[in-house]
């Protein structure tokens, strides 16, 4: 009898067999495939593991496949997907968004920014930026860059000695207000960025230890060299006497002291070091917020003057900043290629693309925090602080965008090269 029933099921067409089973067992949905003898299991859209879903089974028993597919549990959570994408975009571009937000708030409501300036909030924010830099500074990474020292030495020379000469050329330009030109000239004398150059080098798979070493050393030496570079290139060109010695001591107390404090705290406590390493992204966001406070305050103070600036003039200043960055990229690329060809066997250090790309990125960028700290210490000697800072904020954002495209281009070329070798 059992054999006859089994033979009947086997010989029956699938649709008929399924109909029979559904009449006997209402828990099997109308769209079920041929019965396999296992319990009906629905894959969970949330956890990715099969489980019995009573909601779907009840929907199947009430109305079949149409009602099951209309059930909200099968619809993608579009709101959740879009919120995740938005959060990912904010995390990836937190620094540019923070800077743009600071400038926007300063233009919309300058009263709060003026109040923050009255209580010296910008000095505390600068202190916080470099304290965080000290907390996240790893000594082991610096030691790992020793073997690539010739490439790193060129990077330091390019950052601290070569690029300040471009300030002379920029000062020959004339815009109204002239502070836009002066601000970009000051920007040329700055050391490299504190984080974006290293982050892009890591994304590229370059020598991140070398990039970090050049970043740290150039910022430490920059505190000593920048005041004299400004006096030599900016002060003489603008016909202004810059108190280099006073500026030097101001930068030591506002930049170097918190950097050393953060480093000492990191080295004195293993728990602090581990916490800083685990929460680098959070600390980076806090540092970006501190940095955005400076243009917010400066723009708030100079809002009345900024509103008088023609948009075309500001776009010209932004274009000059973009051109400056492109020229530095081209200069550093050509120089490293020339050094690689000139030094033969020793040129192998320059020829390694992980070294050369790291230095090209780091040596072509300029830091905004040191620039705004310098403008703060100058106290309006070279012009209205907000007008000096604004084009540099735009240039800082643009150089990150340009270098992101450059990194993607390098990665694409590497993939194509690897593909051609495999083929």
């Amino acid at each position: 009898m059992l054999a006859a029933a089994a033979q009947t099921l086997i010989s029956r067409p699938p649709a008929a067999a399924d109909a029979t089973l559904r009449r006997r067992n209402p828990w099997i949905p109308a769209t079920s495939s041929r019965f396999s003898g296992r319990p009906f299991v629905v894959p969970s859209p949330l956890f990715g593991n099969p489980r019995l879903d009573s909601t779907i089974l009840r929907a199947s028993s009430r109305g079949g496949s149409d009602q099951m597919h209309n059930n909200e549990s099968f619809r993608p959570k579009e709101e959740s997907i879009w919120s995740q994408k938005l959060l990912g975009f904010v995390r990836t571009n937190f620094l540019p968004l923070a800077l743009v937000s600071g400038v926007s708030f300063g233009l919309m409501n300058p009263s709060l920014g003026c109040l923050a300036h009255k209580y010296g909030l910008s000095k505390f924010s600068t202190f916080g930026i470099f304290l965080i830099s000290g907390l996240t500074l790893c000594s082991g990474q610096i030691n790992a860059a020793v073997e690539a020292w010739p490439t790193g030495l060129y990077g330091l020379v390019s950052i601290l000695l070569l690029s300040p000469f471009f300030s002379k050329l920029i000062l020959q330009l004339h815009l109204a207000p002239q502070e836009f030109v002066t601000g970009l000239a000051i920007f040329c004398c700055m050391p490299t960025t504190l984080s974006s150059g290293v982050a892009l080098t890591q994304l590229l798979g370059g020598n991140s230890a070398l990039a970090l070493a050049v970043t740290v050393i150039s910022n430490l030496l920059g505190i000593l060299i920048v005041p004299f570079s400004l006096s030599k290139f900016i002060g003489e060109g603008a016909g202004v006497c810059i108190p280099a010695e006073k500026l030097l001591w101001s930068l030591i107390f506002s930049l170097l002291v918190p950097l050393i404090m953060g480093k000492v705290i990191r080295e004195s406590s293993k728990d602090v070091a581990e916490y800083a390493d685990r929460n680098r992204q959070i600390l980076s966001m806090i540092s970006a917020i501190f940095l955005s406070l400076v243009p917010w305050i400066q723009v708030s103070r100079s809002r009345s003057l900024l509103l008088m600036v023609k948009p075309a003039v500001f776009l010209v200043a932004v274009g000059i900043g973009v051109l400056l960055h492109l020229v530095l990229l081209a200069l550093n690329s050509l120089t490293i290629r020339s050094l690689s060809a000139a030094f033969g066997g020793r040129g192998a250090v320059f020829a390694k693309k992980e070294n050369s790309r790291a230095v090209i990125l780091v040596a072509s960028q300029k830091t905004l925090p040191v620039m705004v700290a310098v403008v703060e210490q100058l106290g309006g000697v070279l012009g209205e602080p907000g007008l000096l800072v604004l084009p540099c904020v735009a240039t800082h954002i643009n150089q990150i965008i340009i270098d992101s495209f450059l990194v993607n281009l390098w990665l694409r070329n590497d993939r194509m090269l690897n593909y051609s070798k495999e083929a």
Side-chain angles (χ1 to χ4, degrees), residues 116-244:
H117 171 72
K118 180 180 178 181
Y119 290 99
L121 184 60
S122 59
K123 295 180 180 179
F124 291 105
S125 66
T126 303
F127 186 90
I129 291 170
F130 287 91
L131 181 67
I132 292 175
S133 298
L135 288 173
T136 56
L137 180 58
C138 300
S139 301
Q141 291 178 312
I142 300 175
N143 298 333
V146 172
E147 63 179 49
W149 69 266
T151 317
L153 180 61
Y154 164 74
L156 294 175
V157 171
S158 174
I159 293 168
L160 299 174
L161 300 179
L162 295 181
S163 57
F165 280 94
F166 286 97
S167 61
K168 284 282 190 182
L169 298 176
I170 291 178
L171 285 174
Q172 304 305 313
L173 302 174
H174 297 283
L175 292 176
Q178 190 63 19
E179 282 92 339
F180 282 178
V181 174
T182 307
L184 291 172
I186 296 173
F187 202 57
C188 290
C189 299
M190 294 299 110
T192 187
T193 52
L194 296 170
S195 59
S196 58
V198 178
L200 288 171
T201 302
Q202 291 173 340
L203 180 64
L204 180 62
N207 192 339
S208 57
L210 176 62
L212 180 62
V214 172
T215 298
V216 173
I217 296 172
S218 68
N219 278 273
L220 293 176
L221 293 178
I223 295 173
L224 305 176
I225 296 175
V226 163
F228 301 99
S229 298
L230 292 176
S231 179
K232 173 69 176 176
F233 297 106
I234 310 296
E236 294 180 1
V240 175
C241 179
I242 296 177

Side-chain angles (χ1 to χ4, degrees), residues 49 57 111 134 159 172 176 180 219 223 252-253 346 390:
N49 297 320
L57 294 177
S111 57
I159 293 168
Q172 304 305 313
F180 282 178
N219 278 273
I223 295 173
I252 288 175
F253 284 111
R346 293 186 63 188
L390 190 59

Side-chain angles (χ1 to χ4, degrees), residues 89-103 105 121-122 124-133 136 194-196 279-297 367-369 372 393 396-397 400:
F89 176 80
V90 170
R91 290 193 194 100
T92 305
N93 303 278
F94 192 81
L95 177 58
L97 291 174
L99 292 174
V100 172
S101 299
V103 173
F105 290 151
L121 184 60
S122 59
F124 291 105
S125 66
T126 303
F127 186 90
I129 291 170
F130 287 91
L131 181 67
I132 292 175
S133 298
T136 56
L194 296 170
S195 59
S196 58
N279 298 277
R280 280 182 178 271
Q281 187 178 27
I282 297 176
L283 292 174
S284 176
M285 289 182 175
I286 296 174
S287 181
I289 293 173
F290 283 149
L291 180 57
S292 67
L293 294 178
V294 180
W296 168 56
I297 294 172
T367 182
L368 186 63
V372 295
V393 170
H396 183 83
I397 296 172
I400 295 174

Side-chain angles (χ1 to χ4, degrees), residues 303-318:
R303 179 178 180 270
S304 58
L305 292 175
L306 289 172
L307 294 178
M308 296 171 61
V309 176
K310 296 180 180 179
V313 176
F314 178 69
L315 291 177
V316 170
V318 172

